[in-house]
Amino acid sequence: MPLQLISGPVVEPVSLLEAKAHLRVDIPDDDALISALITAARHYAETLTRRAFIAQSWKLVLDSFPGPTLIGIPRGKPFTLPGHAIILEKSQVRVVNTIQYLDMNGVSQIMPPANYTVDTTSEPCRITPVFGQIWPIPLPQIGAIEVDFVAGYAGPFVADTANSTISIQGPWFPTQPFVLSNSGGALPSPLQPATNYWIQSMPVPGWFTLTANPGGAPITLTDSGTGTNLVGAVPEGIKAWIKVRVGALYQHREEMATAGRGEKIEPLPFMDRLLDPYKVVF
């Protein structure tokens, strides 16, 4: 199925500072190279796991809606990939923005969200018509259907200490409660990682105050933090894999590498196993 990246991540899951600390590099000479290697390693890991790490916008293009017109699921099976389900092969899906299709007159239509259901908890994500509905009849033409969605573990945010608000950057808005994390620095004080937070209010469009309890008092931010602040968190196993892969690419910059005197270098057997818990298999 053709997946198209509409907008990529605005930050990397591993910061330049984190990568340089792992590499034990303390000079700026290779900053551009190390940054490029971080991006290359992240691309490889996302392809291997079928995931997006930092929030990204994607488009799935189909020729027709899948499956039979009779809607149902196999009886007695607790989990299935129904034949009539649209499967989004990029996890973790956060939101499906639109399902567009060309009708029989060639006019673009947007399917009402009330007519379909999205299971973002499953991997891969499944989309089916709600009970009692069927997929619309599209124009019998290639590329007649487009599904726009956002996937990713986390999205960056910036903090405004004057108003104790944050603004989430990029295409993703979190479900509540949510956790915060940081890459290469520290979260704005007094925010803490691995702690649940809720949106308390939106004083101005796009800017939010936070609370530690539903309906609780707003949290006063005393600084804007350092490094890259994130709503959500990329698993540490993935970040560890990226740093190790960046280290290998930085140390061995050509296609072939030897340990000296022609000895073959064997890959570390645990490397790709770091990504095994995060692979989406179906």
Side-chain angles (χ1 to χ4, degrees):
M1 296 182 182
L3 278 172
Q4 300 176 5
L5 179 64
I6 304 303
S7 62
V10 297
V11 298
E12 294 293 343
V14 173
S15 70
L16 176 62
L17 187 62
E18 286 179 302
K20 290 178 69 173
H22 174 79
L23 296 172
R24 297 179 176 87
V25 173
D26 56 7
I27 57 175
D29 302 49
D30 287 341
D31 282 5
L33 171 63
I34 296 171
S35 296
L37 296 180
I38 293 171
T39 300
R42 188 256 307 164
H43 272 299
Y44 184 83
E46 288 181 330
T47 300
L48 197 63
T49 59
R50 295 181 175 178
R51 290 186 179 276
F53 300 154
I54 301 296
Q56 306 164 24
S57 295
W58 287 82
K59 176 186 294 183
L60 173 67
V61 180
L62 302 171
D63 295 338
S64 65
F65 287 107
T69 55
L70 294 177
I71 303 303
I73 58 174
R75 185 176 180 180
K77 292 188 177 182
F79 181 84
T80 62
L81 296 177
H84 65 284
I86 294 176
I87 306 298
L88 300 182
E89 298 183 11
K90 182 65 73 172
S91 296
Q92 181 177 13
V93 173
R94 291 296 180 177
V95 62
V96 172
N97 291 324
T98 59
I99 299 178
Q100 300 183 67
Y101 65 97
L102 296 177
D103 64 18
M104 294 300 289
N105 294 318
V107 178
S108 179
Q109 302 287 348
I110 295 179
M111 188 174 178
N115 290 358
Y116 59 87
T117 182
V118 181
D119 180 12
T120 57
T121 62
S122 70
E123 295 180 344
C125 175
R126 305 172 296 172
I127 309 174
T128 66
V130 297
F131 182 76
Q133 294 284 335
I134 64 172
W135 292 120
I137 307 301
L139 187 70
Q141 174 178 292
I142 59 173
I145 299 161
E146 296 180 354
V147 182
D148 293 338
F149 65 97
V150 175
Y153 281 112
F157 74 88
V158 294
D160 175 16
T161 55
N163 298 295
S164 290
T165 55
I166 70 167
S167 178
I168 301 169
Q169 311 297 295
W172 175 56
F173 186 82
T175 55
Q176 301 185 70
F178 50 84
V179 298
L180 305 175
S181 61
N182 180 277
S183 175
L187 286 167
S189 297
L191 301 177
Q192 297 294 322
T195 302
N196 285 340
Y197 293 99
W198 286 260
I199 298 294
Q200 197 268 351
S201 66
M202 185 173 64
V204 294
W207 289 87
F208 309 94
T209 58
L210 302 181
T211 179
N213 300 286
I219 296 172
T220 300
L221 303 181
T222 58
D223 62 61
S224 57
T226 57
T228 301
N229 298 313
L230 298 169
V231 177
V234 178
E236 288 299 323
I238 290 175
K239 295 179 65 175
W241 184 96
I242 291 174
K243 286 185 279 190
V244 173
R245 179 52 59 95
V246 168
L249 293 171
Y250 185 74
Q251 183 68 27
H252 307 288
R253 305 187 190 185
E254 305 300 333
E255 182 179 6
M256 304 295 293
T258 60
R261 297 184 180 179
E263 296 97 334
K264 181 181 178 182
I265 292 181
E266 296 292 342
L268 298 174
F270 66 83
M271 262 297 295
D272 286 343
R273 293 293 178 264
L274 286 171
L275 291 179
D276 280 356
Y278 312 106
K279 290 182 180 178
V280 180
V281 180
F282 55 94

